[in-house]
Amino acid sequence: MATAWDITKGDPSVVIGIVDTGSLTTVPDLQGQLVPGWDFITNSAAMQDTGGHGTLSATIAVGKGNDGQGVAGYCWRCKVMPVRVASSGSGFDSGLAALGIRWAVDHGARIISIGWSDEGTYTVPEPRIASAIAYAAQHNVLVLASAGNTGATGPTHPAADPGAYAVAGTDPNGALYSWSTYGSWVGLAAPGCQWGYWGGDASNPYGLMNACGSSTSAPAMAGIAGLMLSVNPSLTPSQIVGALQSTAAPVAGIAGGRIDAYRALIAVGGKPPPPPPPPPPPPPPVKVQKPKPKPTGKTTPGMRVQKGWLRMHWHLRIKVRKGKVAATLRSPKAMSCTVSIKSSDDLWFADGRRRRKVITLSARVPAGRYGVDVWCKVRKPRRSALQLRAFFS
C-alpha cells in the first residue's frame, strides 16, 4: 500500500458506510474517523458495538494511519459511517439490514461495505435486502459484499445480488484461501486476513487482532475504492469495479483477480509523486594549506633574455632591487659592441669585459630603474642575444 499512499491517503469527503454491528467510538484509531451513523437496534444515533465485527471492519477501512499506534486503514483519510443492524456478527435481521443500507445511501455514503453473508443458505436473494442494494445502485453508491467462507462455488447473498460486488479472500501468495467462496460470479479478491480492532470483548475492548475471513476482505476493498474516489470523485460504481478488475492480478477460481491498489489508482487518474531530487554533489576535497616557507634571507637573481637581429642599437628598461646587475651580450661582432647600464641619476657603468663573441658588464647598483644599451659598429644585422641577470622588482 505504500506506493498507493504516495498518490493519496484518502479524502474526508469520501464516506464509507459500514452496515454491521456498529462501532466503538472510543477506539484510538477511529478518533476523528467517524461521521454520524444510526443504531437500528436501539433506534438511536448513540453508537455502540457489542458484537465487535463492525469496529473491526471500520478500522480495516479507515483506521487512522501514521499515528504511532494500532493499524493504518486502507483509506485512512476517508470517513466511516457506522450503521448498526445487528448485535453480533452471526445473526442479521434482513429487515434491519435493508433499512441500514437505505439509510447509509440517504445520508451520504459513497461506498457501502457488507461483511456478512447467508453462506449459501438461500438460493434466491432476500427481497428486502436485494431491493435496498438496487436502491444503492440507482443512487450511484458502490456496494461491496463478502463472498462468504463456504469454500465452495455456490452463490451467497447479498454478495450475488444485482448491484452488489462480491469480494473473495486471498492468501499471502495471491491464491484463494481454502475457506473462501469462489466461482465465476465472484469478480474481486482482496487479502483474506486483516489487522484491526475487535470491539466486542468487554475484557479487552480495544483488542488488536489479525482476523481472517472474506468479511475482512470487503472493508479492505471498500477502503481502496475510497482511495479511488478521493482521486476521482466522479467515478461510478461500474467504473470503479472496472478499473479494479482491469488492473488486478489473475486469481484462479474467480472471474476477476486480486486488487492492485497502486495500478487501480493510476487507471482512474492518480498521479504518482515526482521522483526524489538527486542527492547533492559531494563537497569539494578540503585543500590543505601548506605553510609558506619562512624567508631565509637569501634570494636568487632572475634572468631575462633579449634575442634577435642586432644592427646598431638595442635598448631595454629594467627595474631592480639593490644588488648586482650583469649584462652579457653574445654576438659574432661582440668585440665591436659596447654595453652600458644607465641609472635614472645618469650614472654609467660601461667598463665591460670583452671576449671573442661575448661581452660582459656587471655592477652593484642601488634599487631603481635602469636603461641597458647595446651599441655596435656592424655593416649588416647579426643574430645576437642579450642576457640580463639581476634582482628584478
Side-chain angles (χ1 to χ4, degrees), residues 9 14 44 48 76 112 122 199 202 206 210 217 234 298 358 372:
K9 299 173 181 66
V14 178
S44 166
Q48 59 179 305
W76 46 275
I112 291 177
Y122 302 102
Y206 305 145
N210 185 20
S217 304
S234 66
K298 298 180 180 180
V358 178
V372 179

Side-chain angles (χ1 to χ4, degrees), residues 46 64 70 80 103 123 166 220 282-283 329 331 340 348 388:
K64 187 185 299 182
V80 151
W103 193 93
T123 58
L329 175 68
S331 173
S340 64
W348 290 81
L388 298 173

Side-chain angles (χ1 to χ4, degrees), residues 64-384:
K64 187 185 299 182
N66 203 29
D67 61 352
Q69 62 180 338
V71 298
Y74 281 81
C75 191
W76 46 275
R77 287 184 180 164
C78 294
K79 302 292 185 181
V80 151
M81 176 188 295
V83 181
R84 186 172 183 237
V85 296
S87 299
S88 70
S90 59
F92 285 81
D93 179 274
S94 298
L96 294 183
L99 289 174
I101 294 169
R102 289 178 178 271
W103 193 93
V105 172
D106 292 340
H107 288 81
R110 292 293 309 273
I111 304 161
I112 291 177
S113 173
I114 297 176
W116 37 271
S117 166
D118 69 358
E119 299 297 346
T121 302
Y122 302 102
T123 58
V124 295
E126 203 288 326
R128 291 169 294 181
I129 294 177
S131 176
I133 291 174
Y135 180 78
Q138 293 166 6
H139 288 79
N140 207 35
V141 175
L142 174 64
V143 178
L144 297 164
S146 163
N149 303 321
T150 66
T153 61
T156 64
H157 302 282
D161 293 1
Y165 295 92
V167 185
T170 56
D171 63 21
N173 296 318
L176 290 177
Y177 274 111
S178 60
W179 44 255
S180 177
T181 305
Y182 61 101
S184 60
W185 61 277
V186 180
L188 298 169
C193 292
Q194 304 283 343
W195 283 96
Y197 282 101
W198 185 270
D201 186 350
S203 64
N204 186 17
Y206 305 145
L208 185 63
M209 66 182 298
N210 185 20
C212 294
S214 63
S215 65
T216 67
S217 304
M221 188 69 75
I224 292 172
L227 294 176
M228 297 168 73
L229 281 173
S230 300
V231 166
N232 188 347
S234 66
L235 293 172
T236 64
S238 62
Q239 288 173 330
I240 295 172
V241 174
L244 287 168
Q245 291 178 330
S246 66
T247 57
V251 174
I254 64 174
R258 186 185 73 252
I259 52 169
D260 184 321
Y262 176 81
R263 293 182 62 201
L265 288 173
I266 295 297
V268 297
K271 304 296 183 184
V286 178
K287 293 184 178 179
V288 179
Q289 297 290 338
K290 295 183 179 180
K292 294 182 179 180
K294 296 181 179 179
T296 61
K298 298 180 180 180
T299 56
T300 303
M303 183 173 66
R304 295 179 184 177
V305 177
Q306 170 78 28
K307 293 182 178 181
W309 295 89
L310 173 62
R311 184 176 183 86
M312 292 181 62
H313 181 227
W314 273 353
H315 176 75
L316 290 83
R317 292 183 178 275
I318 58 175
K319 182 180 180 183
V320 298
R321 300 195 300 273
K322 179 181 177 182
K324 184 178 179 180
V325 176
T328 300
L329 175 68
R330 299 180 186 277
S331 173
K333 295 294 184 178
M335 296 297 292
S336 65
C337 297
T338 300
V339 178
S340 64
I341 301 174
K342 179 182 180 182
S343 76
S344 57
D345 295 326
D346 294 330
L347 296 176
W348 290 81
F349 302 90
D351 55 345
R353 296 191 302 274
R354 299 171 183 270
R355 294 180 296 170
R356 186 172 180 271
K357 297 185 179 182
V358 178
I359 180 170
T360 300
L361 170 65
S362 65
R364 291 191 173 275
V365 300
R369 299 179 183 273
Y370 293 83
V372 179
D373 289 277
V374 178
W375 292 92
C376 296
K377 297 178 180 179
V378 294
R379 293 181 180 179
K380 59 181 180 180
R382 301 288 182 171
R383 185 175 292 278
S384 306

